[in-house]
Amino acid sequence: MTGLSGVPRIPVVSANGRPETLGRSQPKALRRVTLADVARDAGVHKATASRALRGLPGVDAGTRLRVLESARRLSFSASAAATALATGRSKTVGLVLPTLRSWYFSEVAAGASEVLSSAGYRIELVNLDVDSDFLDIDSPAFHDLMLELGAGHGRDALLFAGTIARSEGEHQVTGAVPAAVAGTSITQVRGLAVDNRSGGRLVGGHLAGLGHRRLTVIEGRSAGSDRASVWQHRTQGFLEICPDADVLTAGDGDAANGHRAMTHLITAGGPLPTAVFCHTDELAFGALAALRGAGLRCPEDVSVAAFDDHPMARYWGLTTVSQHAHQQGVRAAAALLERLHVPVDPAETAALDALRVKLVIRETTAEPTHQLRGHQLRERSISRRSE
């Protein structure tokens, strides 16, 4: 498609979804703004401007602000190729996500991106589209993955925004680039390990303290998963406090499986648990919807607690364990920068090192009042629908 002058016109789609065209006007000879231009405008040496823009020490605050303002005013954008040639680094980090369909990985990635972008790094998202249990650092598959993702791809580092299964002991990752891990730690980089077992104990202690004795765990792992340490640790921690609890494997930690698992409990005919611990908030959202659909109340009929502190958890009034997903990304990125010998504020990293899982008590848990059986559930559901 061409315009009247024969200049090619590029089809695009606007924000409202209507097709439009974008015509190319005659190109203008625009000179790229260089680091020398920024230095000249700020009245500093080129080397000083470079250090200021990269956040390196040795530049006072006033000079740094002046350089940054000049760069902004001149619309300066550092050439990635030039940076790589000058420093021997590409200033690029591969942010590896097991999936793009999880809020948790998105939150971790957002926190990491904030830190890395502020340090002048370009972010490349790498979507594996695999179950995070696949990422076992002891396995040959992980070794091969590190080589495939890292070697020869022009990245300074990889940051895994995921929970990577590991056994006890020390580990070394063989690969061409350093790797930081959010959710657990690799000895090459100080990551932030999430204590899933401790989180399970917190929930168990809370529910037991309220007087619940008939409890069920809805696990988030897929049936037959060989590597499921995250889920195992959450269940094990809970069972340390509530050893008689039943365990139901839902198959993935999403809302649909939570709805399916709770529906199974409701229709099984036996007495319902007075409290349910869901491995993820999304499982809990589905479970709460199933309770509501059956005419049951939470927490009057069944208390529900979970693990994650999803951004929507507060609006559901969900009692849950916060694992600080956004701050996990921040901490993992800070650890990665340290590994790359980029200066990091010690006060900031010390504060992040102190992160611990925390129980957030909201409205979905309370003392048990009674136990209901299947026929009572059906009668209550019919009664409420007729009101």
Side-chain angles (χ1 to χ4, degrees), residues 98-256:
T99 177
L100 296 176
R101 296 184 295 273
S102 166
W103 77 273
Y104 166 78
F105 297 127
S106 297
E107 281 291 303
V108 173
S113 295
E114 289 177 10
V115 174
L116 294 170
S117 296
S118 297
Y121 280 84
R122 187 166 64 92
I123 310 299
E124 285 185 358
L125 285 181
V126 181
N127 177 32
L128 298 180
D129 199 23
V130 298
D131 191 302
S132 59
D133 292 339
F134 170 80
L135 302 177
D136 168 19
I137 65 175
D138 292 324
S139 69
F142 184 77
H143 170 87
D144 293 341
L145 178 65
M146 284 291 296
L147 294 176
E148 178 185 345
L149 293 178
H153 284 69
R155 304 184 187 101
D156 289 337
L158 297 174
L159 190 153
F160 283 82
T163 49
I164 296 181
R166 70 185 180 117
S167 58
E168 300 298 325
E170 296 297 315
H171 302 280
Q172 296 293 334
V173 174
T174 303
V177 293
V181 180
T184 185
S185 58
I186 287 180
T187 53
Q188 281 188 301
V189 176
R190 292 192 301 114
L192 174 68
V194 175
D195 192 344
N196 291 286
R197 184 178 281 107
S198 176
R201 285 196 296 266
L202 288 174
V203 177
H206 171 61
L207 294 177
L210 289 172
H212 292 279
R213 297 296 178 264
R214 185 173 182 82
L215 304 115
T216 295
V217 179
I218 298 180
E219 284 198 330
R221 65 170 168 170
S222 301
S225 175
D226 293 329
R227 299 292 304 185
S229 63
V230 170
W231 313 124
Q232 289 171 348
H233 290 169
R234 291 179 186 181
T235 295
Q236 288 167 0
F238 187 83
L239 294 179
E240 288 176 15
I241 307 298
C242 307
D244 297 326
D246 295 324
V247 179
L248 179 62
T249 299
D252 292 334
D254 58 24

Side-chain angles (χ1 to χ4, degrees), residues 368-382:
T369 55
H370 50 265
Q371 292 185 354
L372 300 176
R373 291 184 177 273
H375 69 278
Q376 294 173 308
L377 300 179
R378 289 190 290 274
E379 291 171 0
R380 174 174 290 185
S381 179
I382 292 170

Side-chain angles (χ1 to χ4, degrees), residues 104 107-108 111-112 115 181-185 190-196 198-199 202 307-309 321-335 346-360:
Y104 166 78
E107 281 291 303
V108 173
V115 174
V181 180
T184 185
S185 58
R190 292 192 301 114
L192 174 68
V194 175
D195 192 344
N196 291 286
S198 176
L202 288 174
F307 199 117
D308 274 341
D309 205 16
V321 173
S322 174
Q323 58 175 323
H324 315 285
H326 186 274
Q327 291 302 315
Q328 284 185 45
V330 170
R331 181 65 193 92
E348 178 179 332
T349 56
L352 292 173
D353 276 336
L355 282 176
R356 297 289 185 272
V357 291
K358 179 179 69 172
L359 181 65
V360 182

